[in-house]
Amino acid sequence: VVAPITAVPIKTGLAVALKVLPAESLAPDNFAFLEIRVKTKILFNFSMIEDLWNILVPALLIFAVGLWDDLKRLPARIKLVWQIVAAMLLIRLGTSVSIIPFGFLGLPGETHIAVNWLITLFWVIGITNAFNFIDSMDGLAVGVSGIAVAFLILVTLGSPQISLLQLLTLMIGTCVGLF
């Protein structure tokens, strides 16, 4: 029995990146101190990228490895190494979960920070591989991403992180458009 051949889009991540990254750099910001203007019209606003660069750089690394995998079919161990590098870069740039408080279960000194870093490492690798797994089903990854982003928007609404809210809004619009 021969299975029917169907076209499966492999570059949805590329579509998301090409839609979100230029749009986030064009987001209006009244307090932008780095911008390119032509006749009082902002062409390129660097402040949003500056606010979120510690998240965007590791995300772009994971995106690049995913695109490379789509094009060349990388071995699992190579993908895992790059996912670990991206997660460690995320932590090194100052972004990690803060679930375990100081003194939790009698942990000495700054051990809670290392535990939070390990949780961040496993979270990034786990979510990346979960999305890689469901990416083979047409439209599922972008649909699940849209649902996750919608909940992140709800959480971010009450916070002062305007740049993150702008990025999430762009992402949900992209997910809805691609779904």
Side-chain angles (χ1 to χ4, degrees), residues 52-133:
L52 299 173
W53 71 277
N54 55 341
I55 297 170
L56 292 174
V57 171
L60 286 173
L61 180 60
I62 287 178
F63 160 72
V65 172
L67 184 62
W68 187 17
D69 179 44
D70 283 347
L71 297 173
K72 300 288 183 187
R73 294 289 170 212
L74 294 175
R77 69 182 183 285
I78 300 293
K79 291 188 285 188
L80 180 61
V81 166
W82 282 106
Q83 290 167 5
I84 292 171
V85 167
M88 291 174 65
L89 181 61
L90 182 73
I91 293 166
R92 178 69 176 104
L93 292 174
T95 302
S96 64
V97 299
S98 185
I99 296 173
I100 307 297
F102 178 78
F104 182 73
L105 295 178
L107 293 173
E110 301 297 319
T111 310
H112 70 287
I113 295 172
V115 174
N116 284 327
W117 288 350
L118 282 173
I119 293 169
T120 302
L121 186 76
F122 285 115
W123 179 259
V124 169
I125 293 169
I127 292 296
T128 302
N129 284 303
F131 274 93
N132 194 23
F133 178 71

Side-chain angles (χ1 to χ4, degrees), residues 107-168:
L107 293 173
E110 301 297 319
T111 310
H112 70 287
I113 295 172
V115 174
N116 284 327
W117 288 350
L118 282 173
I119 293 169
T120 302
L121 186 76
F122 285 115
W123 179 259
V124 169
I125 293 169
I127 292 296
T128 302
N129 284 303
F131 274 93
N132 194 23
F133 178 71
I134 65 172
D135 192 32
S136 63
M137 296 171 233
D138 194 20
L140 185 59
V142 75
V144 171
S145 297
I147 292 168
V149 169
F151 281 104
L152 286 172
I153 287 173
L154 290 175
V155 170
T156 309
L157 280 175
S159 79
Q161 298 176 329
I162 301 302
S163 294
L164 182 59
L165 187 59
Q166 289 173 338
L167 175 64
L168 292 171

Side-chain angles (χ1 to χ4, degrees), residues 44 68 91 103 146 148 169 171:
F44 194 82
W68 187 17
I91 293 166
T169 305
M171 289 178 70

